[in-house]
Amino acid sequence: MEYLKKYPKLFQWLFLLIVFFALCFAIDVPETYKFIRGQAEFVKDPNQSVYFFLGKEVRYYAFDVFWRLPPLLGWLPIWINDSLFFLMNEWMPMEFWNEDTQEFKTRPLLLEISRNLTSFMTFLIELIREILLGGLETIVAFTSWDFIDAYPWLELPGLPWTIVAAGAAILSYKLSGKGLALFAGLTMIYISIFGQWKPSMQTLSFILVAAPLSFIFGLGLGIAAYKSKRVEKALYPILLVMQTMPQYAVLVPALVLFGVGDHAAVIITMVVAVPPMILLTILGLRAIPPEVIEAGRMSGCTNWQLMFKVLIPTARRDILIGVNQVIMVCFSMAVISAFIGAKGLGFNLLLALNQLNIGLALEAGLCISLIAILLDKMSLAWANKQTDYFGNLTFFQRNKNVIFFAASFVIGIILAYVGTFIFKGSFNYLFEIPHNKGISTADFWNKGVDWIFDTFFVYIKAFNTWLIQDVLQPMRALYLRMPAVATLVLAVGAGYLIGGFRSALVVAALTLFIALSPWWDRALVTLYMATFGVVISCLIGFTVGTLCFQNKKSAAFMLGVCDIFQTFPSFVYLIPVMMLFGITDTSVLIAVIVYATIPATRYTIEGLRSVPVGLHEAATMSGVNKFQRLTKIEFPLAFPHMMLGLNQTIVFALFMVIIGAFIGTEDLGQYILKALSDKNGAGIGLTLGICVAFIGLIFDNLIRTWVGKRKKHLGIA
Amino acid sequence: MSETVIKCESVYKIFGENAKKMLEESNGNVDAKTFQERGCIVGVNNASFEVAKGEMLVVMGLSGSGKSTLLRCISRLTDATGGKIFIEGQDLLELNNKELIELRRNKMGMVFQSFALLPHKTVVENIAFPLQIKGTNTEESISRAMEMVKLVGLDGRENYFPRELSGGQQQRVGIARSLAVEPDIWFLDEPFSALDPLIRKEMQDEFLRLQEKLQKTIMFITHDFDEALKLADRIAIMKDGIIEQLDTPANIVLNPATEYVRKFTEEVPREKVLIIEDVMDASSKDNLGDLKVSKDEIIENVAEKILTQEKLVGVIDSNNNIVGSIKPSKIIDTVFGGRKNGS
Ligand SMILES: Nc1ncnc2c1ncn2[C@@H]1O[C@H](COP(=O)(O)OP(=O)(O)OP(=O)(O)O)[C@@H](O)[C@H]1O
Ligand SMILES: [Mg+2]
């Protein structure tokens, strides 16, 4: 009884667990239950139940409602699909002037918008691509094919790679200094020599279109949200869902609305890249000291002047950090968009992985990683760069970077011209090294992989079998064994105990959505893989973080490593694991673990670091030894921040599990992959994405609420 | 008295959701406690006063007493919840956005407690900012800003960024910026409180020198009574949003209107506040010694001279007419006796 009074929460939790397990044991597995591998609506089975809603037929296997809830939301994906189809093909037909046939034609509004948007995007991408690589589509767009035939010299020649490399180095120098300039130059040379120039420039042109557009939209919406509470309230739930929605899942609806290709990828990339920009814009504007704003007002600024002359310049750093985020998201989308036919590095990577050519994949992956690091470092340097005063410099000092670039431009062109004589008949290596004509180490890597397989095959296989048979299968079975009602009770109970009625309600709504969708089983499998990954990641991250924290240098080093790894698009992580473990669940899980360990480690170190130094000293003075200090002072204080790390770890793990579908898993991701090639896939893809986002949001809500309360309790809010 | 520049009539500022409604219901009798219980914070409570042209009104009070809020209402950085504010006879709350901007661009200048400089602009650009906002062309605004730089003694640093300046230097930039448009009305919110005592004194002297030259209408907030005495024509003392007393420094010290003001002024050295006229004996003008002092002299400045005298000291006005006398012992009484009585 005394304990009950002392630890009331503990007993509440115990009670919740008892109820949960009691429900688990009380509800039997129905005899007919089995994990359904196919998609219910495509399997016509007399045992299925059917219902109609909004004119949509939903087929499903009915079980006791305690065991699995019926998919009452089963109509949703179909309905989304049909609605999209209707909007695209039938809604609001209007007369549009057609250039080609020179007459008015009736077309649905949305289709016309989508077409115009598509051609606009395509034009932008082509324009930049042709500046970098050469081509004649842009000229043709303004004239005609006949015109080009008449004047063939009009074709854009493209920039020699030497100029682009010099440009990158000079820009890096201006933003940061010699170190970054060297890195930029070497990266460019590497890309060129290894024959990745063309795909890299294709990816780059993609980013050069997507990132500025995302920036403008993000900034605009961010400002709107800052100015109006109502806009902010409307945006907030969308932002929240987009933060936890796997990027992969939004590809599917893009496919339906805009078709296959770069333009669709750009548009959908904006959907993903705009939310972080909005968030950081709001954050930056909110952080401006109120007196600075008042000073602006007292200077007699109009609202417009206040925004552009006071607020935005003052929030410059946060806004530029937003730009950094935008660029990184765009890059990672550029890679993933290969699934809907975007050209570039991602496409090569996907191709190589599909052919199981690990060597080629590795080269493309390395290239992607290098560019990612470069883009990240450059944009961060931009954000952290402080404005300098130029007024007292000479013309040369002020414009030396421009002058240097102009010089390299001329030299590059001369070199390329000279190259035409040196490399007569073969490729002009000083102009552009074509794909697959550079040095390739693919064979070496492939041989290495073969060697690893030959030598360690027995061990890898044994490990694989052990993991799958003795750990993963039982775990998966356990997860699937949970009756839906028991899971709901557990989730809602946890919500109530952590955040009271409100949290319970939110969690209940999110969980119910998933439970009532047709993919509850798949969600459980997703969850099981994510849980496995998260647990191991946390163990590793926590240990590594704590160890590294013992020494300032190692802590800084580890944070640097985390920074670098975090910039890699998640897709890249699949390469090395496929190399070692082939196409199995083990591969996916290892990728998940590697990827999700990053935030776990980072937040551990950051959390421990944030413990005030004064407390350390006070503790040391009172004769506490290092271990006691760690367990008694640092961990309790750092724990809330570490829990935020857990939150991130879960999101990262979910993303990777979903991408892992590419290797072949049986979770929600697999359906997303399938939806990509399904003409009715849009609704399914979107709903699946929302399901995954909701899984993330359930944990997000619980953890954040807990952390908020805990921080308040510790007085470190 | 010369013309009124700032005039407040029962100004209220109450923070909170239903502030306006609650104020109406209370019929002007605002009690901070009951409002707080209902989730509203009273910033300014029934403030009525006038500031004349060329006058310097110093506002004092403890932290959170509503000084900044009062200033913000008068500059309309926040809208007052109730009451009327007139600037040169114009109803401030009636102004539309455009008129307000015009007013701020031409009439008002403000110095902020925390400097509030724009981090992306250099010293001279910061100072030129209000001019450029007004639409003055670059060359003219920069040359005018350079004058201001010289005025506050920052020449040589005009191309520094705020991050490269010390607190005192930043505040000078703030002062220069607020003066750039040559405002008639000058608001200063604890402009010197972030400075060390030496620089503070220097700045105060500079400020007085400036005011002598510019003769602006000023509202000045400070925590420091010495500072207030040094600068003020009149002092307003605030508590929980209420102006407890608004009077000349001498009257506030000699005749505190409320218990709070008495406590507040208790530790104030009288010799710094009172002038000879306040303590002289106007009836006896005979048997005077050689020393004559002006009736407007602050006691502290002449105490030493008077104390060395044995005879009565004559008091003269600005036309050198004798208007009274003062005994050396009277000085001792005022300096030490007054405080003994007070405590
Ligand atoms: N924007 C606001 N919202 C709610 N309450 C406010 C706001 N601004 C000020 N207050 C409250 O109004 C009261 C007066 O604040 P004000 O800033 O005017 O005090 P102050 O006298 O300037 O204090 P200080 O000397 O510390 O600057 C305080 O209780 C404060 O909490
Ligand atoms: Mg204040």
Side-chain angles (χ1 to χ4, degrees), chain A residues 493-649:
Chain A
Y496 182 73
L497 288 184
I498 289 176
F501 197 62
R502 207 188 138 88
S503 262
L505 218 63
V506 173
V507 170
L510 296 176
T511 321
L512 261 180
F513 181 88
I514 306 171
L516 292 176
S517 79
W519 300 297
W520 178 249
D521 281 8
R522 304 272 164 173
L524 287 178
V525 175
T526 308
L527 194 62
Y528 118 78
M529 294 184 85
T531 320
F532 184 83
V534 166
V535 169
I536 309 253
S537 296
C538 282
L539 285 178
I540 300 175
F542 186 71
T543 319
V544 172
T546 312
L547 286 179
C548 285
F549 172 70
Q550 300 312 314
N551 172 319
K552 265 211 170 92
K553 262 193 202 146
S554 59
F557 173 76
M558 205 61 215
L559 283 181
V561 171
C562 287
D563 272 346
I564 290 181
F565 274 84
Q566 206 170 350
T567 55
F568 301 160
S570 44
F571 204 56
V572 170
Y573 286 85
L574 292 179
I575 308 167
V577 292
M578 277 179 76
M579 192 166 141
L580 289 173
F581 294 96
I583 301 184
T584 54
D585 271 11
T586 319
S587 293
V588 179
L589 281 173
I590 288 179
V592 170
I593 291 167
V594 175
Y595 193 50
T597 302
I598 304 168
T601 314
R602 153 184 304 244
Y603 278 78
T604 305
I605 298 180
E606 282 178 357
L608 288 172
R609 255 192 182 182
S610 67
V611 177
V613 185
L615 270 179
H616 279 201
E617 284 161 1
T620 317
M621 285 309 287
S622 49
V624 175
N625 71 27
K626 210 169 181 176
F627 183 72
Q628 282 172 326
R629 196 180 74 192
L630 199 64
T631 52
K632 293 261 148 68
I633 296 173
E634 288 169 346
F635 278 150
L637 278 176
F639 200 60
H641 194 77
M642 282 151 73
M643 284 303 275
L644 288 182
L646 174 65
N647 196 359
Q648 282 295 303
T649 310

Side-chain angles (χ1 to χ4, degrees), chain B residues 15 41 43 62-69 113 190 223:
Chain B
F15 298 101
I41 296 173
L62 298 179
S63 207
S65 56
K67 307 180 295 292
S68 302
T69 308
Q113 198 166 347
E190 299 186 36
H223 276 289

Side-chain angles (χ1 to χ4, degrees), chain A residues 161-162 164-170 172 178-198 200-201 204 331 345 363-378 433 564 568:
Chain A
W161 69 267
T162 43
V164 179
I170 290 170
S172 304
K178 285 191 190 116
L180 193 58
L182 193 68
F183 179 68
L186 289 180
T187 301
M188 288 300 180
I189 291 172
Y190 169 88
I191 292 170
S192 188
I193 288 181
F194 279 78
Q196 304 280 2
W197 191 253
K198 192 164 175 194
S200 297
M201 287 307 116
L204 193 64
F331 187 66
L345 288 167
E363 278 184 354
L366 194 59
C367 217
I368 291 173
S369 308
L370 282 174
I371 296 180
I373 297 174
L374 183 62
L375 287 174
D376 181 51
K377 294 274 178 244
M378 278 170 82
I433 302 174
I564 290 181
F568 301 160

Side-chain angles (χ1 to χ4, degrees), chain A residues 4 40 76 91 141 191 240 287 386 484 548 567 572 596 658 693 709 712:
Chain A
L4 194 69
L76 186 66
W91 185 63
I191 292 170
L240 214 57
Q386 289 178 318
C548 285
T567 55
V572 170
I658 298 303
K709 286 200 167 168
K712 231 184 214 160

